[in-house]
C-alpha cells in the first residue's frame, strides 16, 4: 500500500491538497480555479476523473473557489458538513444534487478504503474541520485555519505520519504590517489563524505521536515568508531536541504551485508459513 501526499496550493490565496492511499484519490479543499487544479493534477500524471472525492474544510473562498466549475465539469463528489454546505450553496447553488454528500463533524466515514475523521477546529466559519485520514497502517492529516492550539484537535491529529499544519503568520509581522486593525484582530484571534510559534508547538507534540513529515502551510503572503516560517519552526524543533530533516522532514508548502510530494509505503504483510511440525 502506498500513500501519496502533495499540497497543490497552500496559502491565503487558495488551498488544495492531493492525498491518495492505493487507488483511492482525494482532494482536500479546492480553493484554486478548476483550471489550476486540472493542471496540478496533470503534473502528478492524473486527470480529474481519477479522483474519488473532494473533502471541504470550510466555506471560505480560499478553500472552495474551484469546486463549482470543477464538479459541474468533471462530476466529482463533494463532501462537507451541513454548516459548510450552507456556506457553499449561499455562494452558488449550481452544484448537481448527485455530487453533494454531507457528513457530521466528529463522525468518521469511508471513501473507498480510506477512513476519514473530520474534526472540529477553532476558526471563524460555520462548522470548520480538519481531516484525519487512515488506511491500514498509513495516516495523514490536514489541519489549517486554526485559531489556537487545543488538546482536542492535537489529540485527533496525533498519530498521523504526514501532516499539513498551518504556519500562517509571524505575530510581529502582523502587528507591524499594513493590514487594518480589524483584520489584524481577526488573524490573531482565537478563531483566526495559527502563528509560526504555535505551529512549532503543535509539531513538537505531534512528534511524540509519530509524525514523520510535516508541511508548513496556509502561509500569509503579507505576514510571513517561507524562510521565516521554516527557520522559526525548525529552530523551535531543535531547541526541543528534535533534528529537522533527520528525525522529522519539514517542508514549506508552496503558495501557488505544487509542492514536493511525500510518499510512504507499508511493507507487504509477511506471509506466514503454516506450521507443519505437528
Ligand atoms: Zn478560513
Ligand atoms: Zn483559509
Amino acid at each position: 500500500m502506498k500513500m501519496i501526499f502533495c499540497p497543490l496550493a497552500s496559502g491565503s490565496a487558495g488551498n488544495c491538497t492531493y492525498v491518495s492511499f492505493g487507488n483511492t484519490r482525494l482532494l482536500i479543499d479546492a480553493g484554486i480555479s478548476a483550471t489550476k487544479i486540472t493542471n496540478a493534477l496533470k503534473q502528478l500524471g492524473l486527470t480529474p476523473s481519477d479522483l474519488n472525492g473532494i473533502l471541504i474544510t470550510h466555506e471560505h473562498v480560499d478553500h472552495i473557489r474551484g469546486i463549482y466549475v470543477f464538479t459541474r465539469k468533471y462530476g466529482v463528489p463533494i463532501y462537507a458538513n451541513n454548516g459548510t454546505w450552507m456556506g457553499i450553496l449561499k455562494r452558488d447553488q449550481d452544484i448537481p444534487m448527485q455530487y453533494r454528500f454531507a457528513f457530521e463533524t466528529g463522525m468518521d466515514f469511508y471513501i473507498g478504503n480510506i477512513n476519514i475523521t473530520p474534526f472540529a477546529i477553532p476558526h471563524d466559519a460555520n462548522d470548520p474541520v480538519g481531516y484525519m485520514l487512515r488506511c491500514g497502517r498509513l495516516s495523514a492529516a490536514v489541519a489549517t485555519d486554526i485559531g489556537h492550539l487545543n488538546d482536542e484537535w492535537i489529540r485527533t491529529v496525533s498519530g498521523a505520519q504526514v501532516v499539513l499544519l498551518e504556519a500562517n503568520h509571524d505575530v510581529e509581522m502582523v502587528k507591524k504590517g499594513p493590514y487594518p486593525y480589524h483584520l489584524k484582530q481577526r488573524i490573531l484571534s482565537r478563531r483566526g489563524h495559527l502563528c509560526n510559534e504555535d505551529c512549532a508547538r503543535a509539531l513538537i507534540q505531534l512528534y511524540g505521536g509519530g509524525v514523520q513529515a510535516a508541511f508548513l502551510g496556509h502561509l500569509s503572503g503579507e505576514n510571513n515568508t517561507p524562510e521565516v516560517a521554516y527557520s522559526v519552526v525548525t529552530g523551535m524543533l531543535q531547541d526541543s531536541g528534535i533534528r529537522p530533516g533527520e528525525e522529522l522532514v519539514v517542508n514549506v508548502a508552496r503558495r501557488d504551485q505544487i509542492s514536493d510530494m511525500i510518499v510512504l509505503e507499508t511493507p507487504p504483510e509477511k506471509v506466514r508459513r503454516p506450521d507443519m511440525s505437528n
Side-chain angles (χ1 to χ4, degrees), residues 21 26 37 40 78 83 97 99 111 117 124 133 139 154 158 168 195 212 214 225 248 256 277:
F21 292 83
L26 303 176
I37 298 171
I78 296 172
M97 286 302 286
Y99 304 127
I111 298 178
T117 305
D124 55 357
L133 312 178
S139 56
I154 292 181
S158 187
N168 179 259
C195 67
Q212 297 173 24
T225 67
L248 174 59
D256 49 12
S277 60

Side-chain angles (χ1 to χ4, degrees), residues 47-272:
T47 65
S49 60
D50 292 320
L51 296 174
N52 298 81
I54 305 176
L55 306 172
I56 305 295
T57 58
H58 63 296
E59 71 277 14
H60 289 161
V61 67
D62 57 318
H63 298 262
I64 63 168
R65 184 177 286 111
I67 61 171
Y68 307 95
V69 172
F70 196 81
T71 289
R72 284 198 294 267
K73 210 165 168 184
Y74 302 112
V76 181
I78 296 172
Y79 296 78
N81 60 32
N82 286 328
T84 300
W85 269 119
M86 269 172 54
I88 292 171
L89 297 172
K90 201 171 162 190
R91 199 179 152 81
D92 185 345
Q93 295 271 338
D94 197 5
I95 294 182
M97 286 302 286
Q98 71 262 38
Y99 304 127
R100 300 183 194 178
F101 291 85
F103 58 74
E104 261 180 64
T105 302
M107 304 283 283
D108 70 319
F109 61 97
Y110 281 86
I111 298 178
N113 53 354
I114 308 178
N115 178 262
I116 298 159
T117 305
F119 57 91
I121 51 169
H123 188 57
D124 55 357
N126 290 348
D127 188 1
V129 297
Y131 288 101
M132 176 74 171
L133 312 178
R134 294 185 187 85
C135 185
R137 284 182 286 166
L138 297 170
S139 56
V142 169
T144 68
D145 299 73
I146 292 181
H148 63 274
L149 299 179
N150 70 38
D151 288 345
E152 225 177 300
W153 71 260
I154 292 181
R155 209 180 306 125
T156 309
V157 171
S158 187
Q161 292 148 326
V162 181
V163 63
L164 170 64
L165 201 58
E166 175 164 45
N168 179 259
H169 58 271
D170 175 85
V171 174
E172 285 309 305
M173 284 174 81
V174 176
K175 287 183 179 165
K176 291 178 185 151
Y179 278 8
Y181 181 74
H182 73 274
L183 210 52
K184 291 184 181 186
Q185 289 300 101
R186 189 209 151 220
I187 293 167
L188 298 174
S189 83
R190 286 175 65 79
R191 298 181 74 220
H193 290 279
L194 211 61
C195 67
N196 295 334
E197 282 84 358
D198 280 346
C199 175
R201 288 182 190 107
L203 256 188
I204 291 163
Q205 288 195 47
L206 295 177
Y207 183 72
V211 70
Q212 297 173 24
F215 285 96
L216 314 182
H218 210 297
L219 268 68
S220 163
E222 288 79 18
N223 302 309
N224 210 356
T225 67
E227 293 75 23
V228 168
Y230 184 81
S231 77
V232 169
V233 172
T234 53
M236 285 177 67
L237 288 172
Q238 276 165 345
D239 289 346
S240 67
I242 302 162
R243 293 193 302 275
E246 293 167 55
E247 293 171 306
L248 174 59
V249 175
V250 180
N251 289 320
V252 180
R254 299 193 183 113
R255 283 173 59 81
D256 49 12
Q257 53 181 304
I258 78 168
S259 300
D260 294 334
M261 65 167 77
I262 294 280
V263 181
L264 283 188
E265 223 160 331
T266 43
E269 300 285 339
K270 267 194 187 147
V271 180
R272 277 222 213 145

